[in-house]
Amino acid sequence: MDDFLAARLQMAFSLGFHIVFSCIGMVMPFFMCTAHYLWLKRKKAVYLDVTRAWSKGVAIFFATGAVSGTVLSFELGLLWPKFMEHAGPIFGMPFSLEGTAFFIEAIALGFYLYGWNRFHPWFHWFTGVIVGISGLLSGILVVAANAWMNSPSGFDLINGQYLNIDPMKAMFNEAWFSQALHMCVAAFVSTGFAVAGVHALMILKGQNVNFHRKAFQIAAIFGTVAACLQPISGDISAKDVAQRQPAKLAAMEAHFQTEKGAGLIIGGIPDTAAKTVKYAIKIPKALSFMATGDFNAEVKGLDQIPQKDQPPVAVVHYAFQIMVGLGMAMLGLAVIYFIALFKKKNWAESKWMLKLFVIATPMGFLALEAGWTVTEVGRQPWIIYGVMRTADAVTPMPGIAYSFYLFTAVYISLAIIVSLLLFRQITMVDKLYDSSTDKKIQ
């Protein structure tokens, strides 16, 4: 394995793990605070039990997110020194602000975890809200930095020098809003369906049904509402990408030929040699409408992109299809769930409904990983789009393959440890609480 490939794989692997930890860490505090609010308003002990159980999960993912995020910050400097040399002074502001948000989140989480029976109940609840808001801001600020890589701004490139730097313009670049919106909604979708699926499974097993039913209801509402909003954010992102990164859009859709009234490709196997897509379903003029809002507009194909500037078509296309397919599946389940809530109330707690949520448990995170693949691989061969190539940013240091193997082992170990901790936490819940009452077993 050459060092360039090893560096890319190490970064991809690290990001793939961190994005799951960070999204759960961003969203779970809102679930926790919702259960806490219901406890304060209704005084049912089951909501207090849910709150305490989820707060332990929040602590676990805060710690793992901090560890994996710290590793990523070191990897940026060690693996991509040329990138950090030039880009660091430009988009350093969102990273520094993210550090501030993380600092506030850590303090608020400490207050929340150790504030039981020490603070006024509503102030205690408010510290949990601060945990959620600061965590969400941390995610938005990191995505703003990544958006800058897709839409570089806030500087003038003169004779190879980055001059007239404007950090605010760099942070609030053209891509930051669409990427931050899409990412935040995706975090709520993936975490909501995952948490709801776990509690649905426990209900089906008949373990601590009252506890898991309340937890399921909160997580399912968050996840299904977000699933209904995701197509809107996706449409905003698609139109943004069509304007700024036509090569990425062309790879997403395996759109080889520039044409007006371009059709939308669903599925299919791209044949880059023959410039065709086999076995695909094509919706006439839909791609033009998705990209521009005009059914007859021209959409640039890969034929107008130099070969050296084209991203890997197959990888981007398959990842995009997986993301959209899983997103539509969760949207369909969300619609069924809302019908159950408002029209067919007997569906809401039926076994088949719970089984659907169990099946959907991993869908959000699979879609999340696929979407991140589209974002990162679709930008290639650029690390700063149109400015610096990824191959020019990699470290000259040899032996990166060994670093990749080491960090892969660390992340796999971390994932196993976190999974065991969460499993232990779930099983402990069923030992502590009676499934038929709102009271703890003493």
Side-chain angles (χ1 to χ4, degrees), residues 29 207 246 282 420:
Q207 298 179 4
K282 191 171 185 178
L420 291 174

Side-chain angles (χ1 to χ4, degrees), residues 204-258:
L204 288 170
K205 288 184 174 182
Q207 298 179 4
N208 205 349
V209 173
N210 190 42
F211 174 93
H212 290 293
R213 182 183 290 119
K214 299 301 184 185
F216 167 79
Q217 289 170 351
I218 294 170
I221 290 294
F222 272 102
T224 51
V225 170
C228 293
L229 296 175
Q230 191 70 309
I232 299 173
S233 69
D235 181 66
I236 294 171
S237 293
K239 287 180 169 58
D240 178 64
V241 168
Q243 291 180 356
R244 294 182 301 96
Q245 295 176 301
K248 180 185 287 188
L249 180 70
M252 287 160 57
E253 278 296 316
H255 183 58
F256 291 101
Q257 303 297 326
T258 301

Side-chain angles (χ1 to χ4, degrees), residues 344-380:
K344 301 284 187 178
K345 296 188 182 297
N346 59 312
W347 290 4
E349 297 183 7
S350 62
K351 286 188 176 181
W352 64 265
M353 177 70 77
L354 295 171
K355 288 179 180 178
L356 287 178
F357 272 95
V358 172
I359 293 170
T361 301
M363 286 186 181
F365 289 119
L366 292 174
L368 190 72
E369 297 285 7
W372 196 249
T373 300
V374 171
T375 299
E376 296 301 288
V377 179
R379 188 181 63 245
Q380 300 306 313

Side-chain angles (χ1 to χ4, degrees), residues 301-334:
L302 290 166
D303 59 329
Q304 291 193 17
I305 310 295
Q307 185 69 36
K308 63 185 179 66
D309 295 337
Q310 293 182 12
V313 176
V315 175
V316 179
H317 177 71
Y318 293 140
F320 180 67
Q321 297 297 315
I322 290 170
M323 178 188 70
V324 173
L326 292 174
M328 294 306 295
M330 289 182 288
L331 174 61
L333 179 52

